[in-house]
Amino acid sequence: MRRSGQGRLPQPASNTPPPPPAADNALLERWHAARAHHGEPPAAKGRPHRRVSVLAMALAALLLLAAAAPAAGSQAPRAKLPRGELQQLLDGLVATGQPGAIGLARHGEETWRGASGLAIVDPEQPMRPGLRYKIGSITKTFTATVVLQLVGEHKLRLGDSVERWLPGLVPNGDHITIRQLLQHTSGLFTYDEDPRIAEPYLQGDLDFVWRPRQLVAIATEHPPLFPPGTGWSYSNTGYVLLGLIIRAATDSSVQQQLQTRILRPLGLRHTSFPVTNPHIVGPHAHGYQLGAGPGGTPLDFTGLSPSWAWATGNMVSTVDDVARFYRALLRGRLLPPRLLRAMQTTVDTGSGLQYGLGLASIELPCGGTVWGHEGGLPGYENWALASSDGEDQVVMMVNAGDGSSDYAQLVLDPVFRALCAIPSTSS
């Protein structure tokens, strides 16, 4: 990891309210709320449940690690990836009670892959590094890349309004731009905070299909959180709208655009964009909520319909494919320099994380800025972070999630530690 001194820790502005809880996991939050409403006992969990945002937890993790991390350059550089330490990080995740974990670390041309625990709880099957899993909001970086490619082809403009491409769909849509959708500054309510989204699944219909325009209609029944461009709030609604804009601008599906522009050129053979199929095709890790099944057993969420997430978080991939995508993106293979710079032009979220156009940045306690995204949804939690030049990368996943931001921090901590253990590329 390139280091240029101690990391600077952004502090939230004193007049900035804390961001809302992690939007990707709102579905499970609604599941818990519904159980309580109907008089059912709360489901047991593998970890304490705290209503704290992913961004706030990221800042807490940064502060914790800053206190414990040695100053940059205080240790002699190592010639190879610290494979034993990396495996211990995965084993440590499983030791917290998670079914299993997968990890990948990359330094230049050297790659380490590891796994720990179980991919399937019953009957028991071991976790393996090459298994597919649901990547959640890492999907956003893929969606944003397609949008920016269309901008580069002059088929879209970042300043285009929602009304220009989706007339009549969003109130005040003529004042909301594509850039604001990408950067979560539109002020739109995130649809998955509405309890109606979870209702079909709470009734046992995990195959229920939501259509993108239905999701937008539910979101726009709620008042905006702020006027467009005047604040920041994570909104899955914005990325559903971006998916619809991709369809309108290309007259083809988001799935086809991803396949043609990213998946096929990069050889991401294990990555897919399921629209309605609730089943993961090919060898995969099941995703669980701990203690939520009968008798306190893990509840399997693997078959949950991807339709409720769509272009905001429905993709399936592997640690290898995710790492290859981010390396290609950061090295300029997918976007021309001016659009990659636009993607990396960030706003302060108020919680230690900077957010660009579908791409987030964090400054490590050991120095250096890393880029990537978090992905959390029922049954899975994962992070993918890379150095600015894509030279050093870490991708980690646990196949459990309970709707709390504890899981985001649970995976973020070892990802930070792994990145700080990678030898400096500048040595």
Side-chain angles (χ1 to χ4, degrees):
M1 184 63 53
R2 285 225 170 93
R3 302 180 176 91
S4 57
Q6 287 297 100
R8 299 182 302 279
L9 302 179
Q11 299 294 324
S14 59
N15 61 348
T16 303
D24 291 352
N25 287 327
L27 193 68
L28 276 177
E29 295 283 4
R30 297 301 175 190
W31 183 79
H32 285 303
R35 288 174 64 94
H37 177 72
H38 293 294
E40 299 181 42
K45 302 179 178 63
R47 293 173 57 81
H49 185 89
R50 299 200 299 270
R51 293 282 297 180
V52 185
S53 76
V54 170
L55 303 177
M57 300 306 281
L59 178 58
L62 281 167
L63 294 171
L64 175 65
L65 286 170
S74 64
Q75 294 181 341
R78 285 168 280 191
K80 297 181 179 180
L81 288 173
R83 295 168 180 265
E85 295 177 38
L86 294 169
Q87 184 61 48
Q88 288 174 9
L89 291 172
L90 294 185
D91 294 341
L93 283 169
V94 174
T96 67
Q98 313 316 310
I102 300 174
L104 176 147
R106 180 166 287 158
H107 171 55
E109 299 308 310
E110 183 185 4
T111 303
W112 167 86
R113 301 170 182 85
S116 186
L118 299 175
I120 301 177
V121 171
D122 186 20
E124 290 189 359
Q125 294 186 25
M127 187 68 83
R128 293 184 283 114
L131 294 179
R132 295 171 172 89
Y133 61 93
K134 297 184 178 183
I135 65 173
S137 272
I138 289 175
T139 301
K140 288 182 172 64
T141 313
F142 284 82
T143 300
T145 300
V146 171
V147 170
L148 289 168
Q149 287 180 345
L150 292 171
V151 170
E153 296 164 10
H154 307 290
K155 296 177 181 176
L156 293 174
R157 293 179 300 174
L158 289 173
D160 283 350
S161 70
V162 173
E163 183 69 15
R164 159 75 175 80
W165 290 100
L166 305 171
L169 186 60
V170 177
N172 199 36
D174 55 339
H175 290 92
I176 299 173
T177 67
I178 288 176
R179 185 190 298 274
Q180 290 164 351
L181 297 179
L182 288 165
Q183 205 160 43
H184 300 295
T185 57
S186 69
L188 289 170
F189 179 85
T190 187
Y191 65 87
D192 48 322
E193 290 286 352
D194 189 299
R196 285 174 289 179
I197 300 300
E199 191 60 31
Y201 309 122
L202 300 177
Q203 300 300 322
D205 185 6
L206 296 185
D207 295 342
F208 182 86
V209 172
W210 283 104
R211 302 297 178 185
R213 286 177 177 264
Q214 292 176 308
L215 300 175
V216 173
I218 287 175
T220 55
E221 289 180 17
H222 297 263
L225 304 180
F226 47 78
T230 65
W232 189 93
S233 183
Y234 196 84
S235 175
N236 285 321
T237 306
Y239 275 76
V240 171
L241 288 167
L242 288 167
L244 291 170
I245 289 170
I246 289 171
R247 290 203 315 203
T250 64
D251 198 28
S252 67
S253 68
V254 179
Q255 183 180 29
Q256 181 59 49
Q257 290 297 311
L258 284 166
Q259 187 68 34
T260 302
R261 295 172 174 274
I262 299 176
L263 306 188
R264 191 177 300 131
L266 297 184
L268 307 184
R269 297 187 302 275
H270 307 302
T271 302
S272 59
F273 183 90
V275 178
T276 60
N277 185 358
H279 306 293
I280 300 177
V281 177
H284 61 275
H286 284 217
Y288 299 94
Q289 185 192 6
L290 302 181
T297 59
L299 183 63
D300 193 330
F301 269 100
T302 312
L304 184 66
S305 170
S307 66
W308 73 275
W310 200 50
T312 192
N314 71 337
M315 291 183 76
V316 171
S317 192
T318 64
V319 289
D320 270 276
D321 276 10
V322 168
R324 188 181 305 173
F325 165 68
Y326 278 107
R327 176 169 279 193
L329 177 65
L330 293 169
R331 288 184 171 180
R333 287 186 58 191
L334 296 173
L335 294 173
R338 70 177 183 89
L339 290 175
L340 183 56
R341 286 194 300 271
M343 194 179 212
Q344 294 178 299
T345 300
T346 61
V347 295
D348 188 359
T349 66
S351 297
L353 191 78
Q354 305 292 313
Y355 203 93
L357 308 183
L359 191 65
S361 70
I362 308 175
E363 201 152 322
L364 290 174
C366 54
T369 299
V370 288
W371 295 88
H373 215 286
E374 178 263 356
L377 72 173
Y380 301 90
E381 178 63 49
N382 54 110
W383 282 85
L385 294 174
S387 57
S388 299
D389 57 4
E391 188 78 359
D392 300 326
Q393 298 181 277
V394 171
V395 183
M396 284 190 183
M397 179 276 283
V398 295
N399 59 332
D402 68 356
S404 79
S405 296
D406 277 339
Y407 267 93
Q409 184 188 9
L410 177 73
V411 180
L412 183 63
D413 286 348
V415 168
F416 278 163
R417 295 183 188 278
L419 284 164
C420 287
I422 294 177
S424 172
T425 60
S426 60
S427 300

